[in-house]
Amino acid sequence: MNNFLADVLPREGGLVASPTRSYNVTIAIGGLLAALGLAAGVHSMYVGHEHTFGVTREVPWGLLIATYVFFVVSSTGLCLISSIGHVFGVESFKPIAKRSVFMAIVTIVAGFFVIGFEIENPWRMPIYNMLSPNPTSNIWWMGTLYGAYLFFMVVEFALLQMEKHKIAGMFGLLGLVSGIAAHSNLGAVFGLLSGREFWHGPYMPIYFITSAMMSGCAAVIFFHYLGYRANGWKMSEKLENSLMATAKLGATLIAVIMFFTTWKMISGISGQPPGKYEAMMALVSGPYAINFWLGEVMLGMVIPFAMILAARAKNLPVLFWASVSSVVGIFFMRYDLVVVGQLVPWYHEFGLVDMPHLLTYTPSLHEIVITLGAMGICVMGFFMGERLFRGHLSEDH
């Protein structure tokens, strides 16, 4: 893997050289996945979601909503972590600003790509958002706040490229505020659904913000290490220290999420509260136990936490693989959060005839291809960004 990455963008006087075959193949693969995802999404809109998606009236949110949450959480996390340096002036976090802001833009675009095909008529949101606003709707606020967030992030990145750091910091602050507001509102979309006990409560918006920062730490390490391997550069001591500081913050946030997860499970099982208990048991010992124990707990929290501690947050290759484990585990977190929260049937406590104990959901081929298309956008965006913005240079190499 390291040899391939080193070949993707070779060195030439510290800057990116001419495109190589490996680089072009990587871009092509990302573009192909994006094109396939686009084709699957358009086909679904043409023939109808009910014929191509695995969701039902009982389980209306599936893989695409989980993928959307995954990407917007990652985007908000990248924004939050990057703002520590260039917005609040913490010196050790300044070197990660440019690439983190750029990837925050790429990941939010990937999220919009997914949600656009999940919504049956996506063009209605931008049109009626202005013509017929509904401030009492969490979904309206989500579209409005994330739209503002994307605008501020794009302006901030442009100003960073122009080396206008003071003004970029102002727009970064606006992006930070809108991002936090949008993300806490996304948590409220779940937390204010009183009919879904697995989600309901004030815990959800707080959890979303905290887990976004944890996701951001993993994404910062992942993209920076990958970028430098791709460019064939050796990191400066300043950037290495920045990634080490990010890893330490990430380990702290993983510990906080462990705390959240532990008490969420205890509160959901203790006393067997109707609706919540059945969903929790689906995670602990039911059909989603592998997702929970192997995906969420081991890959998402225990393994990266142990790797960071074992390396004392100083060994960059170890930190990179810890970030890979964390990113994969976080995807399981988002999937379980979205899907398991809908599996308990309405009025299950009344023992209705022919009502299953748990509903079922299986992603369709179209949903999987659209998800891969969003990942292709990230791959293509990342490597094109390395080329177009010359490795997001902010220091001497």
Side-chain angles (χ1 to χ4, degrees):
M1 178 179 178
N2 288 342
N3 290 334
F4 168 75
L5 292 175
D7 289 339
V8 174
L9 292 175
R11 287 177 295 186
E12 186 174 293
L15 297 178
V16 180
S18 59
T20 65
R21 183 177 180 182
S22 298
Y23 172 80
N24 292 332
V25 168
T26 305
I27 292 288
I29 291 174
L32 177 61
L33 288 174
L36 290 174
L38 178 63
V42 171
H43 182 255
S44 295
M45 295 173 66
Y46 178 74
V47 303
H49 289 178
E50 67 274 13
H51 300 298
T52 56
F53 289 175
V55 294
T56 60
R57 290 185 62 185
E58 293 77 19
V59 185
W61 291 351
L63 175 63
L64 296 186
I65 292 293
T67 304
Y68 165 72
V69 173
F70 170 76
F71 279 118
V72 298
V73 167
S74 300
S75 177
T76 305
L78 285 162
C79 171
L80 291 172
I81 301 304
S82 67
S83 68
I84 296 175
H86 77 98
V87 174
F88 297 107
V90 179
E91 193 67 30
S92 59
F93 283 85
K94 287 184 178 180
I96 64 175
K98 286 186 178 181
R99 186 179 279 105
S100 297
V101 172
F102 176 75
M103 289 311 301
I105 295 170
V106 172
T107 49
I108 195 70
V109 169
F112 286 167
F113 175 86
V114 173
I115 198 68
F117 290 121
E118 202 282 334
I119 300 173
E120 191 167 358
N121 297 298
W123 51 83
R124 290 182 178 178
M125 178 173 283
I127 294 174
Y128 291 103
N129 181 275
M130 297 293 293
L131 296 180
S132 181
N134 182 11
T136 63
S137 167
N138 284 326
I139 299 297
W140 181 84
W141 278 109
M142 185 178 70
T144 302
L145 290 171
Y146 272 122
Y149 165 76
L150 177 59
F151 171 76
F152 291 135
M153 294 299 290
V154 169
V155 174
E156 176 191 7
F157 181 72
L159 291 170
L160 284 173
Q161 292 300 117
M162 295 161 56
E163 301 295 335
K164 296 182 179 180
H165 294 282
K166 185 175 181 179
I167 304 176
M170 295 172 59
F171 276 91
L173 180 60
L174 292 173
L176 175 66
V177 172
S178 59
I180 291 175
H183 208 59
S184 61
N185 178 80
L186 178 61
V189 169
F190 291 87
L192 296 182
L193 291 176
S194 58
R196 302 290 186 179
E197 293 300 323
F198 183 74
W199 297 329
H200 183 58
Y203 156 87
M204 200 59 68
I206 302 170
Y207 170 79
F208 265 57
I209 294 297
T210 309
S211 65
M213 292 193 68
M214 181 187 77
S215 302
C217 290
V220 165
I221 296 170
F222 176 81
F223 287 121
H224 278 79
Y225 186 87
L226 197 63
Y228 272 71
R229 291 300 303 172
N231 288 315
W233 290 335
K234 184 182 185 301
M235 288 188 187
S236 68
E237 183 178 352
K238 187 177 180 181
L239 182 58
E240 287 184 358
N241 291 335
S242 182
L243 295 183
M244 291 174 188
T246 302
K248 293 175 183 177
L249 177 60
T252 303
L253 292 166
I254 291 173
V256 173
I257 295 298
M258 287 179 178
F259 170 83
F260 269 106
T261 303
T262 299
W263 282 105
K264 179 182 74 173
M265 304 307 294
I266 292 174
S267 66
I269 295 174
S270 179
Q272 300 187 8
K276 183 177 288 189
Y277 175 77
E278 290 78 8
M280 292 298 179
M281 293 309 297
L283 289 172
V284 173
S285 58
Y288 288 83
I290 295 178
N291 278 21
F292 178 70
W293 292 111
L294 180 60
E296 289 193 43
V297 175
M298 295 303 297
L299 292 177
M301 293 181 283
V302 174
I303 291 177
F305 185 75
M307 291 178 73
I308 293 172
L309 290 185
R312 297 184 180 180
K314 294 181 179 180
N315 188 316
L316 289 181
V318 172
L319 297 183
F320 169 72
W321 288 111
S323 72
V324 172
S325 176
S326 183
V327 168
V328 174
I330 288 167
F331 187 87
F332 279 101
M333 289 182 189
R334 309 312 175 208
Y335 183 83
D336 291 347
L337 173 71
V338 171
V339 174
V340 174
Q342 305 168 83
L343 296 184
V344 179
W346 297 98
Y347 310 118
H348 72 283
E349 66 268 24
F350 298 115
L352 300 180
V353 177
D354 293 333
M355 181 67 72
H357 177 67
L358 286 177
L359 300 170
T360 59
Y361 164 75
T362 302
S364 69
L365 177 62
H366 281 72
E367 291 173 290
I368 293 172
V369 173
I370 293 172
T371 297
L372 292 176
M375 294 180 180
I377 288 175
C378 281
V379 171
M380 185 171 59
F382 171 76
F383 283 102
M384 289 182 69
E386 294 298 319
R387 169 66 57 192
L388 295 174
F389 302 107
R390 305 179 69 79
H392 306 280
L393 291 175
S394 60
E395 56 181 335
D396 294 330
H397 292 272

